[in-house]
Amino acid sequence: MERLEPYLCIAPSLTVLAIFVFYPILRSIYLSLFLTDPLGNPKVFIGLEHYASQLSGTFLQSLLVTIKFVLYTVPVGLVLGLILALLAYQPLKGTRFFQLVFSSPLAVSAATGATIFLMMLNPVSGIVNYVMGLLGIGKVHWLTDPRWALWAVGMVSIWLRLGFNFVLMLSGLQNVPEELYEAALVDGAGPWARTWHITLPMISPTIFFALVVGVIHAFQVFTEIDMMTAGGPSNATSVVVFQIYQEAFRKYEFGAASAQAILLFIVMVFFTYLQFRLGERRVHYQ
């Protein structure tokens, strides 16, 4: 009985993982090898044909758009979160209020955020173009111009993730020992030197964690794309997850959608491995 006790303790977790993680992955791999009917039932075994067709078709274009989206949103989101955390961590009156304001996007759902930005970015009545007009800048068709659409959706994603990045960075700053700053002050180090040589190295595990989670989240973006641009204009915002949704629930090609999902999973595992391989060397653990 004692030998079975550890397995009984983890059995509920394993059961949940088996139902909601392992089974869907195995089912997707299975379906990706078949032509399916509109209900998703496998009909004709075709082997790896779905993978071959995706690698020479729209998947690569969607993957390129997704990688652009990751590069647009993740670094900007991390830097903004860090700057706001550094400002809100200062021992000044009213910082609690700003901590509340900066973390408030955490309480906003992706659908709500997309709706808010749809109104703000409206080319006729939106406040963004109105302010740009006051500054003498011409109107921009944010969501219908292929040059700006991905940037516009990226702004929404950055804003929605800003609260999470801010809270994460602030918790990292609160764990930096005050003795280090006091010793640096005694040595005559200025604010920039203290930030560069003490703060950033000490919170580097937090930054690295935020980077890995941010990249994974950016690869999975869907709601903002679906609500704001539906993959347009001219497929400029057609990221991989939206493409999978189109294949599965618009075209009812569940086999092709499963193949795209598996390919996306492999790409995400590769990028996560790359981050641990290259980024973890620069992380300072106490």
Side-chain angles (χ1 to χ4, degrees):
M1 188 62 188
E2 289 184 358
R3 290 185 177 180
L4 288 176
E5 192 171 342
Y7 298 103
L8 291 175
C9 290
I10 63 173
S13 300
L14 287 178
T15 303
V16 172
L17 286 173
I19 294 174
F20 295 105
V21 178
F22 300 135
Y23 173 73
I25 292 175
L26 294 175
R27 181 69 177 173
S28 295
I29 294 173
Y30 176 70
L31 287 178
S32 69
L33 305 176
F34 286 86
L35 288 175
T36 60
D37 64 16
L39 297 177
N41 299 312
K43 292 299 181 182
V44 181
F45 179 77
I46 59 170
L48 300 176
E49 285 187 25
H50 278 315
Y51 293 94
S53 63
Q54 293 304 324
L55 290 175
S56 60
T58 57
F59 177 80
L60 289 182
Q61 183 184 352
S62 298
L63 181 62
L64 181 61
V65 174
T66 307
I67 291 174
K68 284 182 182 176
F69 184 82
V70 172
L71 294 175
Y72 290 171
T73 58
V74 176
V76 177
L78 288 180
V79 172
L80 282 178
L82 178 60
I83 291 173
L84 293 180
L86 288 170
L87 292 174
Y89 188 61
Q90 301 303 315
L92 301 173
K93 189 177 180 180
T95 50
R96 292 286 183 186
F97 172 74
F98 288 105
Q99 289 176 7
L100 176 66
V101 171
F102 295 155
S103 59
S104 59
L106 267 176
V108 180
S109 68
T112 305
T115 304
I116 293 171
F117 272 81
L118 269 175
M119 292 187 288
M120 291 175 61
L121 297 175
N122 187 293
V124 177
S125 58
I127 190 171
V128 176
N129 272 353
Y130 174 75
V131 173
M132 290 173 64
L134 294 178
L135 298 174
I137 305 173
K139 288 184 178 179
V140 174
H141 295 270
W142 294 99
L143 301 177
T144 55
D145 189 333
R147 295 172 300 173
W148 292 103
L150 196 62
W151 287 100
V153 180
M155 280 194 290
V156 185
S157 186
I158 289 169
W159 182 72
L160 288 169
R161 292 286 297 175
L162 192 58
F164 176 79
N165 288 333
F166 168 75
V167 171
L168 210 59
M169 298 296 177
L170 189 63
S171 65
L173 290 174
Q174 290 171 342
N175 289 324
V176 179
E178 284 296 327
E179 296 81 9
L180 295 178
Y181 292 119
E182 292 169 1
L185 280 172
V186 172
D187 292 338
W192 173 249
R194 293 198 298 273
T195 302
W196 185 256
H197 295 292
I198 296 176
T199 304
L200 292 181
M202 293 302 292
I203 68 168
S204 56
T206 304
I207 297 174
F208 181 66
F209 174 75
L211 172 66
V212 173
V213 175
V215 169
I216 292 173
H217 177 267
F219 266 106
Q220 297 174 335
V221 67
F222 172 76
T223 305
E224 302 94 299
I225 301 290
D226 185 43
M227 291 191 63
M228 297 182 70
T229 62
S234 304
N235 292 324
T237 60
S238 182
V239 295
V240 175
V241 175
F242 183 78
Q243 190 65 32
I244 293 171
Y245 169 76
Q246 291 282 91
E247 291 285 345
F249 300 107
R250 299 294 184 197
K251 302 176 183 175
Y252 300 104
E253 296 285 350
F254 291 96
S258 298
Q260 289 188 355
I262 297 302
L263 290 172
L264 176 62
F265 174 73
I266 293 171
V267 170
M268 290 173 65
V269 168
F270 170 74
F271 274 94
T272 304
Y273 168 78
L274 205 61
Q275 289 175 85
F276 274 92
R277 186 75 178 174
L278 301 177
E280 203 172 28
R281 297 175 184 173
R282 299 181 181 277
V283 176
H284 172 77
Y285 293 105
Q286 295 186 55

